[in-house]
Amino acid sequence: MKSDLCGPDFFCIFVNMRKGFDIDLSGMNTFRMEVTCRCFVEYESVDELLEILSDKSLPRPFFPLGGGSNLLFTKDFPGTVLHCGMKGIKDLGSGRVYAEAGMVWDDFCAWCASRGLWGPENLSFIPGEVGASAVQNIGAYGREAGELIESVSCVDAGAGAKVEIPAAECEYAYRDSRFKHDWKGRFFVTGVTFRLSEEPKPELDYGHVREAVKERYGTDDPAFLHPSMIREAVTDIRKGKLPEVSELGSAGSFFRNPYVDGATMETIRQIAIEEGLGNVPSFKVEEDCFKVPAAWLIDKCGWKGKGFGGAAVYEKQPLVLVNKSGKASPGEIIALEEAIRDSVHEKFGVTLEKEVEYV
Ligand code: EPU
């Protein structure tokens, strides 16, 4: 593995290991599930990936693993886990940047911020890798990766060919893209071309970002801001309320924030009044459509800090389930997910959808 751009990621334990059988995946998923895969291969070039995908001797199915930060391995994986070992980055000029899929996402954010390129700074400190950002459409503090992507370089497993897919065809939506649906198992992301801004484009209007920036730097005037300032403020906010995956196993937000219609929104407000739950935080998406924080719904069902066995709801952000004991089994996490979903549905009539992928 190349080390120059390698951040503090756990793949470093696999230095020089390109292929192996019955590999322990506990260091390769941020939930720290103790599972294995039948075969693990790390590729260093697109041609190598094409070869791997056509190699009949490798156990199927293939599963592309990024930083392992948005999934739950529910059992030993019988096929081949693929990891992109390419971590390079290239300035294409005029704000365009090409990053290889295996680059640690936060290293990408740091690289862009240090060059004064605007766009990814609000997405700082999100665990994972560049390839997954294009699949998952990661989002935080008013920005989504999909808004910054020009095109996605992939290998089409069906055709055995390289393809360049424009962002417009990826159907980016809240935590979603075609890579998670009809393109799943077909396209393997090898790199992403981003179109960033050389002009100041601070996005400060989500949550406490503006406040945090003003407090640190005494101004929120775009003329005096640099992307690295926002990057630092966002990193601090995230560190304050999300568990660091190096210390406590988790997969970030476990559930998506649900969208509800006006009638359901009204029911939730009524329940909140009757039970003295305070104001219901919500965001109007469009006519008759509201986004409600899953964190609030879970909190008001009394789940904070509670759990089953080694699995628990994180104290500071109930949207996050954690491997509190370090020894939680996939079954305990799943049981907790189901119990939370049932109680939120029973109390508020809202069905939470998980964001974390079960493998
Ligand atoms: N809240 C509570 N109780 C709590 C914590 C929060 O009621 O203990 C309520 C508060 O009302 C708060 C609201 O939940 O205002 C929303 O919280 P926040 O804006 O911090 O986060 P979120 O909407 O729950 C989303 C993303 C996060 C992202 C933040 C910031 C999803 C599923 N999650 O969370 O993404 O960092 O916004 O943009 O959309 C991730 O994907 O792993 C992730 C952490």
Side-chain angles (χ1 to χ4, degrees):
M1 167 167 290
K2 297 169 207 155
S3 60
D4 51 340
L5 285 167
C6 182
D9 63 352
F10 28 81
F11 286 103
C12 293
I13 57 169
F14 283 109
V15 171
N16 297 330
M17 200 214 78
R18 308 282 323 285
K19 182 176 169 185
F21 288 90
D22 297 323
I23 297 297
D24 170 23
L25 294 173
S26 60
M28 290 190 252
N29 70 97
T30 58
F31 246 133
R32 303 266 178 267
M33 290 297 117
E34 292 180 352
V35 292
T36 61
C37 61
R38 180 68 194 106
C39 182
F40 177 89
V41 188
E42 182 168 90
Y43 56 92
E44 297 285 345
S45 74
V46 176
D47 288 336
E48 212 175 56
L49 173 60
L50 281 163
E51 262 173 50
I52 292 165
L53 292 172
S54 62
D55 183 343
K56 301 249 179 319
S57 73
L58 292 172
R60 273 32 180 192
F62 288 118
F63 181 74
L65 180 68
S69 54
N70 195 47
L71 51 81
L72 178 75
F73 281 113
T74 58
K75 53 183 182 305
D76 291 340
F77 186 71
T80 301
V81 167
L82 298 173
H83 182 248
C84 178
M86 303 183 294
K87 295 165 180 278
I89 185 159
K90 202 165 152 190
D91 193 336
L92 305 176
S94 308
R96 295 173 68 242
V97 174
Y98 176 77
E100 290 178 317
M103 185 176 199
V104 171
W105 174 260
D106 194 52
D107 289 350
F108 166 75
C109 295
W111 189 95
C112 297
S114 71
R115 279 161 181 78
L117 292 172
W118 291 85
E121 60 282 354
N122 289 41
L123 305 174
S124 292
F125 212 59
I126 293 182
E129 296 173 1
V130 165
S133 74
V135 172
Q136 161 78 356
N137 189 19
I138 54 172
Y141 304 105
R143 276 274 151 78
E144 288 186 350
E147 300 163 34
L148 311 173
I149 294 174
E150 180 180 287
S151 63
V152 186
S153 308
C154 298
V155 156
D156 179 343
K162 302 172 195 177
V163 286
E164 191 66 20
I165 306 177
E169 288 176 26
C170 299
E171 293 179 10
Y172 285 121
Y174 170 58
R175 302 291 156 102
D176 207 13
S177 78
R178 287 183 77 182
F179 293 106
K180 294 173 92 171
H181 303 283
D182 54 321
W183 289 351
K184 199 174 163 68
R186 176 176 169 197
F187 292 118
F188 290 75
V189 179
T190 54
V192 182
T193 303
F194 295 88
R195 185 177 286 279
L196 309 176
S197 173
E198 291 172 319
E199 299 303 318
K201 264 203 179 159
E203 168 56 71
L204 304 174
D205 289 328
Y206 186 102
H208 302 296
V209 179
R210 186 180 298 279
E211 212 175 298
V213 166
K214 263 187 165 170
E215 202 175 293
R216 264 172 169 262
Y217 304 106
T219 180
D220 60 352
D221 181 344
F224 294 101
L225 295 179
H226 187 270
S228 54
M229 294 156 97
I230 295 171
R231 169 175 164 72
E232 279 174 27
V234 164
T235 300
D236 270 3
I237 297 174
R238 286 188 73 91
K239 283 186 175 172
K241 58 186 193 180
L242 295 167
E244 282 200 45
V245 289
S246 54
E247 286 161 21
L248 186 61
S250 87
S253 301
F254 199 93
F255 299 97
R256 290 168 203 246
N257 286 330
Y259 286 61
V260 301
D261 60 18
T264 309
M265 193 65 238
E266 203 35 52
T267 307
I268 299 171
R269 286 197 186 112
Q270 278 307 320
I271 296 167
I273 292 168
E274 281 160 27
E275 300 191 15
L277 306 178
N279 280 341
V280 187
S282 68
F283 168 74
K284 189 170 178 183
V285 181
E286 56 188 55
E287 206 44 47
D288 202 34
C289 180
F290 299 83
K291 196 165 159 178
V292 186
W296 186 88
L297 298 167
I298 298 168
D299 189 359
K300 299 308 171 200
C301 287
W303 278 107
K304 255 180 167 176
K306 303 230 174 80
F308 297 134
V313 174
Y314 191 51
E315 296 271 5
K316 292 191 226 166
Q317 171 50 292
L319 189 53
V320 178
L321 306 192
V322 293
N323 180 354
K324 197 171 179 180
S325 65
K327 290 279 166 206
S329 66
E332 285 169 343
I333 307 270
I334 296 167
L336 183 55
E337 179 234 322
E338 286 170 356
I340 291 170
R341 199 139 37 104
D342 288 350
S343 75
V344 167
H345 188 262
E346 197 177 313
K347 189 176 183 83
F348 296 109
V350 175
T351 306
L352 291 182
E353 266 180 50
K354 64 180 166 47
E355 180 181 327
V356 166
E357 181 185 2
Y358 284 5
V359 183

